[in-house]
């Protein structure tokens, strides 16, 4: 099972510790292709064109997509749009106590499952059943 994890990078890094916790949970169920989303430093020496090309290749390859969408990010939104177009299973994780209401482009999309949560530790059964459903 190859999992594409999506989370804000240039959109803002305030949730990076949560991304790390979610990637840890997801690694119990498969290979996370985009572990770098939790890294303190993002890749050095790659052009934006290289980043885009690599990212879209991983997205194409993935069996499922899991996105943390509390911090809005153009890149995450773009990845989600392409994932839906390619009919990938998409799970979006959202904390309603944040500063931003979730976009209607995500919450209003029947092809996207939205799970609200407060503590990443509570998501273990949700992630397990999402991955198992699409294995
Ligand atoms: O350096 C990067 N590496 C990378 O993989 N991305 C991808 C993965 C993330 O899920 C998403 C974040 O987009 P943004 O940077 O617009 O917040 O884009 C984005 C960047 C920077 O835009």
């Amino acid at each position: 099972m190859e999992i594409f994890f999506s989370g804000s990078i240039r959109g803002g890094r305030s949730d990076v510790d949560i991304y790390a916790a979610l990637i840890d949970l997801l690694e119990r169920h498969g290979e996370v292709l985009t572990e770098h989303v939790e890294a303190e430093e993002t890749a050095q020496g790659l052009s934006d064109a290289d980043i885009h090309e690599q990212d879209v290749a991983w997205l194409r390859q993935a069996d499922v997509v899991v996105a943390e969408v509390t911090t809005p990010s153009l890149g995450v939104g773009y990845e989600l749009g392409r994932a839906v177009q390619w009919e990938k299973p998409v799970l979006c994780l959202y904390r309603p106590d944040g500063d931003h209401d979730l976009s209607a482009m995500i919450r209003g999309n029947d092809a996207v499952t939205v799970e609200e949560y407060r503590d990443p530790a509570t998501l273990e059964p949700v992630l397990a059943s999402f991955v198992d459903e699409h294995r």
Side-chain angles (χ1 to χ4, degrees), residues 6-11 36-37 51 55 73-76 79:
S6 179
S8 173
I9 295 182
R10 294 188 190 169
H36 65 284
V37 173
I51 292 168
D55 195 67
S73 149
L74 282 173
V76 172
E79 289 160 352

Side-chain angles (χ1 to χ4, degrees), residues 97-132:
D97 49 0
D99 293 338
H100 301 274
D101 283 342
L102 184 56
S103 170
M105 297 300 105
I106 303 303
R107 208 197 283 282
N109 189 332
D110 286 346
V112 171
T113 303
V114 176
E115 180 74 26
E116 295 195 355
Y117 74 104
R118 286 173 198 281
D119 176 357
T122 64
L123 288 173
E124 164 56 21
V126 174
L127 298 176
S129 72
F130 176 72
V131 171
D132 285 345

Side-chain angles (χ1 to χ4, degrees), residues 4-13 19 34 36-37 42-43 46-48 51-52 54-55 58 66-67 71-79:
F4 187 101
F5 178 79
S6 179
S8 173
I9 295 182
R10 294 188 190 169
R13 294 299 270 161
Y19 304 157
T34 50
H36 65 284
V37 173
T42 49
L46 287 182
S47 68
D48 283 0
I51 292 168
H52 176 268
Q54 174 62 268
D55 195 67
W58 277 326
V66 176
T71 297
S73 149
L74 282 173
V76 172
Y78 169 84
E79 289 160 352

Side-chain angles (χ1 to χ4, degrees), residues 16-30:
V16 72
D17 292 344
I18 290 172
Y19 304 157
L22 293 171
I23 287 171
D24 277 353
L25 291 174
L26 288 168
E27 282 175 335
R28 299 180 190 177
H29 303 287

